[in-house]
Amino acid sequence: MTLCAEKPHVSDIRERIGRLKARLSDCDLCPRSCHVDRHTGNDGICGMSTEISISSANLHHGEEPPLSGSRGSGTIFLTGCNLKCVYCQNYPISQLRHGYAITHDALVNTMLELQSRRAHNINFVTPTHYSAHIAEAIVDARDRGLTIPIVYNSSGYDNVEVLRELDGLIDIYLPDMRYSDSENAERYSSAPDYPSVNRAVIKEMFRQVGLLETDSNGVAEKGLIIRHLVLPDNISGTKDTLEFISKEISAKTSISLMSQYFPAHRASEFESLSRRITRDEYKQAADWMHEFNLENGWCQNEEI
């Protein structure tokens, strides 16, 4: 099993934030490396400028049990996305970019307000293209009394160099592992390098935070939770993904094996994606978890 690194001192954090913000002028915050100047517009794949935009911020009770707990996860849904998934279930936010602009100070205040409402954590949803903004907001919120964990809830299509700049700021990583096959990643998300990028990302996230750790009430304090959405006709390459996790991360990794796929956005244009998964397809995915001795996690609506 790979050992995670000790959380570093953050005395250099302002310097790291400066480096992240500098990337916005020739943006390579994500693997797309669009090299657009986001100060002057929103011409990159994510479609977002340097202005922070969110669609909502509220307590969410539908996350994995250690995240939602009894009081809810303080989710902040960020607008835009660096993937182009044809079946995206949040496409009004990610693809159509429905949301509203929010200042840095307002974002910090939102984080503190969610804490005052007794959220178990601050959960940034689709944060990759806003990593510079988020890093600065976390530091300023901590300075003003934020004490609850930070969740980085991403598609798993991140820039490893950027993640290293976030080391010590993120308590819980919640990435997707969507594909193990580059052709499917290209066809359905326009990201042929997704499998290789994603696996490097998972290794870096695990290096930083290690296995999931919870408090006496089972609420997450630190660690890695991997989400895997089972797609029809094994488009997601579930067996290969689970084997990778078991052999190259840890068989004790916490995995959320999701069955809630339904045809959304442009999915009806693709025959294989135009239906929900079958009971047998999901059972096969759960059986693979057991085959690879993956001990910790959740099937949809029940614990493994």
Side-chain angles (χ1 to χ4, degrees), residues 195-228:
S196 59
V197 167
N198 179 244
R199 293 184 178 197
V201 161
I202 298 299
K203 288 181 176 180
E204 173 60 22
M205 290 177 170
F206 184 69
R207 184 196 69 79
Q208 290 185 26
V209 298
L211 296 170
L212 180 65
E213 298 176 13
T214 61
D215 65 14
S216 59
N217 295 312
V219 176
E221 294 182 323
K222 177 186 175 184
L224 174 68
I225 301 174
I226 296 174
R227 284 177 167 172
H228 181 73

Side-chain angles (χ1 to χ4, degrees), residues 257-277:
L257 191 68
M258 301 187 296
S259 66
Q260 74 251 37
Y261 173 79
F262 65 89
H265 192 30
R266 296 175 47 221
S268 61
E269 300 173 20
F270 301 84
E271 183 177 357
S272 292
L273 290 176
S274 61
R275 62 171 177 84
R276 291 179 177 267
I277 65 170

Side-chain angles (χ1 to χ4, degrees), residues 137-198:
I138 292 169
V139 172
D140 288 349
R142 293 288 190 214
D143 287 345
R144 291 178 53 189
L146 186 77
T147 59
I148 56 179
I150 300 295
V151 181
Y152 187 95
N153 180 346
S154 85
S155 67
Y157 192 54
D158 292 277
N159 181 336
V160 170
E161 290 183 3
V162 169
L163 292 178
R164 289 180 184 139
E165 300 282 29
L166 300 178
D167 193 356
L169 291 177
I170 308 299
D171 301 288
I172 299 161
Y173 279 110
L174 182 64
D176 293 332
M177 290 194 77
R178 300 201 179 191
Y179 308 101
S180 60
D181 177 81
S182 61
E183 290 184 7
N184 284 338
E186 179 174 23
R187 185 177 188 195
Y188 302 116
S189 295
S190 301
D193 61 345
Y194 181 93
S196 59
V197 167
N198 179 244

Side-chain angles (χ1 to χ4, degrees), residues 4-303:
C4 66
E6 292 290 325
K7 181 175 286 190
H9 296 292
V10 293
S11 58
D12 65 335
I13 191 59
R14 292 292 177 185
E15 183 178 325
R16 286 195 266 154
I17 290 171
R19 290 196 295 265
L20 288 172
K21 292 172 75 172
R23 288 176 178 266
L24 291 164
S25 297
D26 186 31
C27 193
D28 63 350
L29 285 175
C30 88
R32 299 288 189 183
S33 294
C34 296
H35 294 293
V36 298
D37 184 352
R38 286 172 58 184
H39 295 281
T40 62
N42 54 3
D43 296 330
I45 294 292
C46 69
M48 306 310 298
S49 67
T50 54
E51 188 174 57
I52 310 167
S53 178
I54 69 173
S55 67
S56 66
N58 216 329
L59 297 177
H60 185 36
H61 296 274
E63 300 286 59
E64 286 74 11
L67 297 176
S68 291
S70 60
R71 303 194 302 267
S73 176
T75 53
I76 300 175
F77 281 85
L78 295 145
T79 306
C81 184
N82 66 333
L83 283 183
K84 295 295 179 184
C85 301
V86 298
Y87 53 85
C88 182
Q89 296 170 12
N90 287 327
Y91 72 92
I93 303 169
S94 65
Q95 309 299 322
L96 303 183
R97 303 165 193 144
H98 291 173
Y100 57 93
I102 185 171
T103 65
H104 168 79
D105 288 344
L107 178 59
V108 171
N109 289 336
T110 297
M111 297 164 71
L112 294 169
E113 180 187 355
L114 287 167
Q115 177 173 260
S116 73
R117 294 173 63 189
R118 304 186 69 219
H120 288 296
N121 48 66
I122 299 299
N123 185 344
F124 287 107
V125 183
T126 320
T128 303
H129 52 298
Y130 285 120
S131 50
H133 306 75
I134 289 169
E136 188 170 32
I138 292 169
V139 172
D140 288 349
R142 293 288 190 214
D143 287 345
R144 291 178 53 189
L146 186 77
T147 59
I148 56 179
I150 300 295
V151 181
Y152 187 95
N153 180 346
S154 85
S155 67
Y157 192 54
D158 292 277
N159 181 336
V160 170
E161 290 183 3
V162 169
L163 292 178
R164 289 180 184 139
E165 300 282 29
L166 300 178
D167 193 356
L169 291 177
I170 308 299
D171 301 288
I172 299 161
Y173 279 110
L174 182 64
D176 293 332
M177 290 194 77
R178 300 201 179 191
Y179 308 101
S180 60
D181 177 81
S182 61
E183 290 184 7
N184 284 338
E186 179 174 23
R187 185 177 188 195
Y188 302 116
S189 295
S190 301
D193 61 345
Y194 181 93
S196 59
V197 167
N198 179 244
R199 293 184 178 197
V201 161
I202 298 299
K203 288 181 176 180
E204 173 60 22
M205 290 177 170
F206 184 69
R207 184 196 69 79
Q208 290 185 26
V209 298
L211 296 170
L212 180 65
E213 298 176 13
T214 61
D215 65 14
S216 59
N217 295 312
V219 176
E221 294 182 323
K222 177 186 175 184
L224 174 68
I225 301 174
I226 296 174
R227 284 177 167 172
H228 181 73
L229 179 65
V230 180
L231 295 175
D233 291 338
N234 197 31
I235 287 169
S236 46
T238 300
K239 184 176 183 180
D240 288 344
T241 292
L242 296 176
E243 184 175 16
F244 165 81
I245 295 170
S246 178
K247 294 182 177 179
E248 299 196 39
I249 305 300
S250 170
K252 294 183 179 181
T253 303
S254 295
I255 299 171
S256 181
L257 191 68
M258 301 187 296
S259 66
Q260 74 251 37
Y261 173 79
F262 65 89
H265 192 30
R266 296 175 47 221
S268 61
E269 300 173 20
F270 301 84
E271 183 177 357
S272 292
L273 290 176
S274 61
R275 62 171 177 84
R276 291 179 177 267
I277 65 170
T278 66
R279 185 181 298 272
D280 286 344
E281 284 174 322
Y282 190 69
K283 181 180 182 300
Q284 176 65 82
D287 287 346
W288 282 326
M289 281 191 71
H290 292 296
E291 178 181 337
F292 294 116
N293 299 309
L294 292 161
E295 305 169 359
N296 301 319
W298 307 269
C299 286
Q300 209 73 37
N301 299 321
E302 67 176 295
E303 189 171 3

